[in-house]
Structure formats: structure tokens, C-alpha cells
Amino acid sequence: MNRVHLVLLWHMHQPQYRDPATGSYLLPWTRMHALKDYWGMVKMLEEFPGVHATFNVVPGLAAQLEEYASGKFDDPGFTLAFQPAEKLTAEDKAELLNRALQVNRENLMRPWPRFVELSEWAQPMGGEEAAKTFTPRDWRDLQVLSQLAWMDPLWRKGDPIVARLAAKGTDFTEADKQALGEKELELMRMVLPEYRRAAERGQIEISTTPFYHPILPLLCDTDVARVASQGTPLPGQPFRYPQDAREQLARARRYHERLFGPAPAGLWPSEGSVSDQALSIAAELGFRWFATDEGVLGRTLGIGFGRDAAGVPENAERLYSPLRIRLGEREIAGLFRDHYLSDLIGFVYTRMDAGAAAEDLHRRLRAIGERVQIGRPLIIPIILDGENAWEYYREAGREFLRQFYGRVQGDPDIRALTVSEALAQAGEIPVSDHISPGSWINANFDIWIGHGEDIAAWDRLREARACYARAEEDHAKGIAEASTEAQLAAAYESLLAAEGSDWCWWYGPEHGTANDAEYDALYRKHLTQVYLALGLPAPDELAEPIKRKPERALVAPPAEFLHVRVDGRESSYFEWLGAGLYSADRRGGAMHGRAALLHELHYGFDERFLYIRVDLLSGALASLGDFEFHVTVRAEDELRIVAAVQHGKLVRYHLERDEACLPAPDERFLAAFHHILEVAIGRELVRLGPRRSLSIGVALWQGGLPLDVLPGEGWLTVALGSEAFAWTV
């Protein structure tokens, strides 16, 4: 077997959530991920001294972590969580409900029965009614559980006070709440020192990103977007400020040195975004390596990396080798993310047993080492966000990582190295005098530019940047009324923050969140502050939202009882008329534009059966080989239908309860597939108990791995009772 040098790069990032005018945190996500991810991801490596990794810490994130660690921060969400319950106002209660329930229900809420109970009470009655009917006990429990649910399992189990509160689970006192608040502050103080300790013992390398996480190639010249994607619409006037790209990088290096000591050798350019101009600036400033995605490498070399059934890519010898980019007299070495393996962690293993997922990933690494023989170590980079995926895993992914790290550490043919360690052992590195511009998403920049909302955002940014440039020029000329150095510095700080990639991530149709309005407002606040800092009125346009709220899914309850013939076809127009519907807008996922396969979920009842219909997206069937539908109905326990499709035909199906096959005669359980999947489940098979609702989730599996789920979080709640055209309870 060819030796494998595994490079794990965990990218840690949150945008700047502080209001530039007030200093108050408008959103709590830096703090919540500090509780759940940033400390534990490094701390758990102590268990595996043979596993080395690279952590990319964005300066804009680290600066917020420093502020939280100081204890001198203004985070209304924190204040709200630890306010005495009797002092909560009506506005406090509405905001607490809004924030507390923005949580992954399956993995962060469901382990806490009291949290689930409070959520189920609050949602049907609406926020206003809940605010009137919840008791102080209810509010205290909601406050405490909304924090405990986010806490890293290592901390939750290892700290005696937090462990006691977690075991208690309900009936929290004000003293309990105060103790938890102190522990939350203690954990936030531990985050950055943990990175320093791990780096000092040589187990991790810490790389950096341009300070406020901008898309460097677009700062240099927005016209580069059309080089990466010829049809991309662009702003009428280009944004061309390479000096800002340089400043974002220079600030990142200075900040990194102050925080961690040595200057960073490596750069994860925001979103893996590269161009010749951006890399030339990085090399000039002293960066020795960068990383991006295999799609960028493929375009640079004019080759592809299609996978076989085992996941081994074509041209593997090129993918698993560094490439030195020589730009005039400057050089910088690049590593290229294995997109397939990284996405397995980010999107697929979330739905699997931790041990099975870890074994699958380890097996795939060994398969590459066995199949690709090139006489030197294969450098396999796995690069992904070090925070966002874990809320879709049980126990924040810690068991998956523990199982995977243990397998890697025990395998003599695989070494987990930092990027610099892998490059030092790479031998002779091929050279290219050019890199194709692009990002780690589709090897272009379309997520951040091209849509009408993106273009409007770039126009506003360009106008603010031009205003700043005029003020800077007036100051240099010594004009009496010109802005002062302090005003210019404050304006430039807000301008750099507005150049971050996160704002345009949420503009356009690709992505959406419950916080779209806040992100839009925060972007416009940064730009507004540019003008205000210069002593100028802000343009009226900055008072107008840029983001148009997208429709993420059409959800409709049943309107009548059904009469369905289970044959895998829509036998007549009237067959599913009046069914409940979940129709997803699948134009983009939470992380990138990964192709979706499932489109709609229909459901309904008659006196004997629950009927479920699953529609694939147009063209999905043609792109699939053999696959399985997994349709799960959750009531008092879980009932799962597994339907296997080969060459477009249903070849077998069965019923499972608690992962064991359940004999069910045809008169109680039917399934059929032609163009759609239709399922009928007899009422006697579904254990309802006293419940007044059940949940439905659909997954599509292929080759033992889940590829897509519907709904996106896994479950659609279905009300019961004749008034809902469902079974009576």
C-alpha cells in the first residue's frame, strides 16, 4: 500500500456580529459555537497524540472570542438567557422563544425531553400565547436548556457542575442558572488558550484567513468572476481595490502573531477563493502555502477527478500532490481539497452510525492508498468547516471523530499530518505559473456575485469605498474640512468588515436562514457606519433591505381524506388531491450548491392507512443507479420502510421497527415505485400512544450511504385528529 499522508484542515469562522455603532452582538452564533465546537475540537486531540491536524482560525472570529473571554461584551442573547425569570418582560419572552428554538431539533433539542416539551407547547400556541401561559419554572428551564443543549459533550460530561445540571434536566433554580452562566464564561475563556497549547506541543498547525473573511479575488477585481464563469452577470462598474485585499491579509498576519506567536505559514483563503493576483499578494506577504478545492486544480490543469464506485478519483496522482504556483519571482505551494471525502463528513456521515461512518472513511483512505501507487506519499487533504456540520451529528460528532481518529492513529500506513509537515515530506513539487480563479464551491464565485441581490450589495460597497477614497484624498491634500485620521480609521474598519464574504453568502437564491433579515441589516449597518464615521449622511438606499426573503418550502396540511391506489403512479389527478404537502426549494443547501435529489413529500390518511408519496426532482432518476428509499414514521417508536430500486424498478421492500425487520402482510403494508414512490402503512402498525402528532422523514441511500433527506432537518410534523383529516386519537 502506498503511504497516505492525511491532512485534516478544520476551518473555524463566524462573521462579525457586533453592531458597528453600538458594539452590541446582534446574533449569538459566535458564542454558541464557542460553547459547542471551538474548544472541544482541539481538546479531544489530546486523546490521540499521533493525530496531527491544521486549524484555520479566522481573525474576525478570534477577535470576537477574545472579547467574550474578557467578560466585557454586550450580547443581549447572553443577558436574556441568564436574566431572572420573574424579571423577563413580554418583549424578552418573545425574543427568548425566538432564539431558544433556533436549534437543530434532532441532535441538540431531542436529547432533552423537557426542551422538547417546552418547544411542543410553544409552537402550536404561538409565541404570544406561550408568553402568557408559561410559568417562571417554564422560562427558567427554557433559559437553561437553550444553553446546555449547545455545550460541548466533553465539557458537559467532564465539568462536575455542568454534569449535575445536565443530569437534572428540569426544575432549574435561579442558582442553577447563575452557576451555568459562570461555567459558560469559564469555557469561553478556555478556547484560544487551548489552541496555543496544542500548537506549542506540535500537534496542530494554526493557519489564517484574510481578517474579515473577504473573497480576495473579487476585492482585487470583480471582473475575475466572469473568467471563472463566463455567463455571470456583473455590476455595471467593477470593484477593484487590491490594496484592500493586501490590508485584509496583512492585518490577519499581524493579529495571528500577536495571538499565537509565530507568523502563520499557511492561508485558507476565504471559501478557498484564489486567483493569480490574490496569491501573488499572499506570497509577497510571506505566506508559504494555501489550500483550495480540487475543482480549482482540475480547471488549472485541464483534467477531471471523476470517482469510481469505491470513490477513487481519476488523475489521483495529480490530486494528491501539492502544486507550487510560481508568479513572477514569488512562489506559494497549494494543496487541493478532496471534495468527495470532505463532503462525506459534512453531509453524508451525519445520517449514519458513528462507528460505521468512521469505518467507511478509513476504508476509503486505505482503498486510495492501495489503488494509487506513485512511489511517494499521497497527500489527501480533507478540508471543511470545523463547526457547522456537528449539529447534524449526535453528540456533536465527537464519537465519530473519536472512532475515526483512533483508526487513523492505529494504522501504520496512514499518518495524519499538519499541512506544513506534509509539504516538508512531499519531495519535489510540480510547478505551475498560473492558477484558475475560483472557490471551493463549483470552482467559481457565483455564490457571492451574479444575482441581482449580490450585484446590489457590490454596488453599495463600491459606492461606500469610493466615498472613503475621496475622503482619504481630501485628508492627504490637507483640505480644512477633511476627515481626521481617527474618522478615516473608523470608516475603514467598517468598510473592511463589509467586504466579508458572509453577507453575499445569504444574498441571492442559493442560501437562506431564519436570520436573513439580521444579516441584511448588519451588512447595511457596516456600510452606513462608513459614512457616519466620515461625518457624512448615509445614502437613502442603505435604509432599504437588499434581501428578498426566499420561499424555502411550500408546506400545506391535508385538506381531505385520501383514496390512493398504491401502484407507484399518479393514477388520476384526484388520487392525491387534498394531500398534505412538503415541497422543498432545493436550489441550495446550508453549505454549498450540492445537487439535491428529493423534491416533494405528500401524505394523507383514510380510516385504515397512512399514505406517503415521495417525488424525485426532475432528472434525478436518470442520474441514479441502484438506490434505496428510507421512509421513517416516528410516533412512540420508529417505523421504517426500506424500498430498494434497481434500474428504475422496485425490486424489494420491507418494514423495520427498531432496525429489526417486521413481518407485515400486504393488507397492512404496501409499497410501489414507478415514477413516484407510494407507501401505505396500516394504522395498527403505528404505535401512537397518547400522541397528537407523528413525524415523517425520507432519506435516499446509495451504496450504503445516505445522499439526501427530506425535509432538510429530517422530520415533518403531522397533526392527528379528524379536524386535520387524519386518524382520531
Side-chain angles (χ1 to χ4, degrees), residues 317 340 344 414 559 626 669 685:
E317 72 284 355
Y340 180 77
L344 287 178
I414 301 176
D626 300 341
F669 167 54
L685 295 173

Side-chain angles (χ1 to χ4, degrees), residues 177-508:
K177 196 163 61 180
Q178 182 179 356
L180 182 64
E182 292 170 356
K183 285 296 174 181
E184 188 164 311
L185 292 172
E186 180 181 341
L187 179 55
M188 289 190 290
R189 288 193 295 268
M190 293 166 57
V191 174
L192 291 173
E194 198 64 51
Y195 284 80
R196 287 192 288 268
R197 281 192 291 270
E200 287 165 359
R201 69 175 182 262
Q203 193 171 3
I204 72 168
E205 176 177 6
I206 306 175
S207 59
T208 193
T209 289
F211 198 97
Y212 284 111
H213 205 268
I215 305 298
L216 286 180
L218 296 181
L219 290 193
C220 292
D221 185 355
T222 48
D223 283 356
V224 77
R226 194 164 283 172
V227 179
S229 181
Q230 291 185 1
T232 299
L234 296 176
Q237 298 180 45
F239 186 97
R240 287 184 184 137
Y241 289 95
Q243 63 268 44
D244 287 6
R246 180 183 300 275
E247 181 65 20
Q248 296 267 11
L249 284 168
R251 287 191 181 204
R253 288 183 69 81
R254 292 195 299 268
Y255 180 82
H256 185 102
E257 290 182 65
R258 180 183 70 76
L259 196 60
F260 299 118
L267 174 71
W268 171 251
S270 316
E271 309 290 359
S273 298
V274 295
S275 66
D276 287 343
Q277 190 174 11
L279 289 184
S280 179
I281 295 170
E284 181 184 348
L285 289 173
F287 288 100
R288 297 196 296 275
W289 64 259
F290 72 94
T292 184
D293 188 69
E294 66 178 52
V296 172
L297 178 66
R299 289 194 175 190
T300 300
L301 301 180
I303 59 177
F305 303 108
R307 265 70 177 184
D308 63 18
V312 178
E314 301 171 338
N315 300 304
E317 72 284 355
R318 307 299 297 274
L319 176 57
Y320 301 136
S321 169
L323 183 66
R324 194 174 300 281
I325 308 300
R326 184 171 294 159
L327 302 164
E329 297 179 356
R330 306 183 186 104
E331 290 186 350
I332 187 168
L335 290 184
F336 301 89
R337 169 182 184 258
D338 186 306
H339 194 104
Y340 180 77
L341 294 180
S342 301
D343 276 4
L344 287 178
I345 297 175
F347 300 99
V348 175
Y349 293 149
T350 60
R351 306 159 198 163
M352 295 176 64
D353 170 78
E359 178 59 32
D360 184 80
L361 183 56
H362 178 240
R363 176 181 57 79
R364 290 175 186 276
L365 291 172
R366 287 199 60 83
I368 292 169
E370 290 165 356
R371 294 265 303 278
V372 183
Q373 300 293 322
I374 59 175
R376 57 168 175 75
L378 299 170
I379 298 178
I380 303 182
I382 294 179
I383 304 172
L384 67 153
D385 284 359
E387 54 207 354
N388 290 319
W390 308 124
E391 62 195 81
Y392 297 95
Y393 282 78
R394 292 182 180 177
E395 287 292 288
R398 296 300 177 259
E399 186 57 28
F400 162 73
L401 289 172
R402 187 172 283 112
Q403 296 258 5
F404 178 60
Y405 288 161
R407 285 168 169 81
V408 169
Q409 182 168 263
D411 191 327
D413 297 315
I414 301 176
R415 293 183 64 198
L417 303 177
T418 68
V419 175
S420 289
E421 288 172 339
L423 288 172
Q425 300 182 40
E428 187 175 352
I429 298 176
V431 176
S432 172
D433 61 1
H434 166 70
I435 194 161
S436 180
S439 74
W440 70 341
I441 302 178
N442 302 322
N444 60 38
F445 306 109
D446 287 356
I447 292 291
W448 302 276
I449 200 165
H451 185 270
E453 292 175 357
D454 297 323
I455 290 173
W458 279 100
D459 284 341
R460 305 289 179 272
L461 179 64
R462 188 195 69 253
E463 291 158 4
R465 184 61 177 82
C467 179
Y468 172 81
R470 290 191 296 270
E472 191 178 34
E473 184 178 346
D474 288 348
H475 176 80
K477 290 178 179 178
I479 295 175
E481 298 81 13
S483 301
T484 65
E485 287 189 10
Q487 288 177 307
L488 288 169
Y492 197 40
E493 195 71 37
S494 287
L495 191 65
L496 294 175
E499 289 176 348
S501 70
D502 299 276
W503 321 118
C504 283
W505 176 269
W506 299 112
Y507 291 138

